[in-house]
Amino acid sequence: MIGSTGFMPDIEGEGGVATLPEEVATPEGELHLRFFVGSGTEFALPATGIREVLEYTPDRINPMPNVSPLLLGTVNIRGRVVWVGDLGQLLGEGAPVNVDRAEVSIVAIEHQGALLGLAIERIGLMAWLEPAHLRMSRGLSDSLTPYVKGEWEMVGAGGEQTTLRLLDHVNILQSPRWAS
């Protein structure tokens, strides 16, 4: 086994310079996080507006009295006290995020130094999405309209058409609904 290179893939190109396989392509579009809220609806946020994605046990979310029902409480993110809100409830989705589980997924969004944690049901995946294919959203509820930049028509795993809505992290962070 010593000195054997049989377990290593052959990636040497001309002159001993490594070349990448052809199936590795340069991504097109912009990087987004896809995720689900309590109602099961999938949304996306641009990666540029996300500070980090975290998993917290519910007992680490400190409830606060006399605040908006949209706010679950505060958490400590790297020494900073950060409000955590139920994103699905802000968007007018029916079901609240389930906090009766081992860990709650939180997406920390940031804009101009302001930081807010968004409690979501489930983290999806990171995906490169083409802004040129983004279209205007139609038929949105009044509670959802201020927070949606547009939508993509996607093909699901079973071949069905689905809609993926792009959220505006700045409008979410600055929403007056967090205070009501």
Side-chain angles (χ1 to χ4, degrees):
M1 187 72 158
I2 297 177
S4 170
T5 58
F7 64 92
M8 296 176 60
D10 183 17
I11 59 169
E12 256 187 53
E14 290 184 31
V17 177
T19 57
L20 294 175
E22 288 184 35
E23 61 268 6
V24 176
T26 303
E28 293 184 20
E30 296 174 2
L31 191 58
H32 293 81
L33 173 67
R34 294 174 65 170
F35 59 90
F36 298 85
V37 295
S39 66
T41 306
E42 185 178 23
F43 291 97
L45 278 167
T48 55
I50 297 172
R51 170 102 178 249
E52 57 189 299
V53 179
L54 310 152
E55 296 279 330
Y56 274 86
T57 57
D59 64 330
R60 291 184 58 201
I61 301 173
N62 305 304
M64 293 295 180
N66 305 320
V67 296
S68 167
L70 300 176
L71 294 169
L72 301 177
T74 61
V75 294
N76 183 327
I77 299 178
R78 306 193 191 292
R80 188 170 171 186
V81 177
V82 177
W83 284 101
V84 175
D86 184 335
L87 178 60
Q89 292 294 290
L90 175 76
L91 300 176
E93 296 289 314
V97 68
N98 178 14
V99 293
D100 188 25
R101 55 186 173 162
E103 292 187 324
V104 177
S105 300
I106 298 173
V107 178
I109 58 172
E110 184 175 37
H111 179 69
Q112 295 181 344
L115 188 62
L116 175 66
L118 304 174
I120 60 172
E121 192 64 30
R122 183 168 52 94
I123 297 167
L125 51 89
M126 296 296 292
W128 293 92
L129 300 170
E130 187 62 55
H133 298 145
L134 189 68
R135 65 177 192 172
M136 294 296 295
S137 296
R138 289 173 248 145
L140 296 176
S141 66
D142 290 342
S143 60
L144 191 56
T145 301
Y147 310 112
V148 175
K149 283 186 173 182
E151 61 190 26
W152 288 281
E153 285 297 321
M154 311 290 281
V155 177
E160 73 281 356
Q161 286 291 111
T162 62
T163 300
L164 177 63
R165 292 192 172 115
L166 175 63
L167 297 177
D168 184 333
H169 72 285
V170 176
N171 285 354
I172 290 170
L173 201 138
Q174 296 175 346
S175 175
R177 291 196 61 215
W178 295 121
S180 59

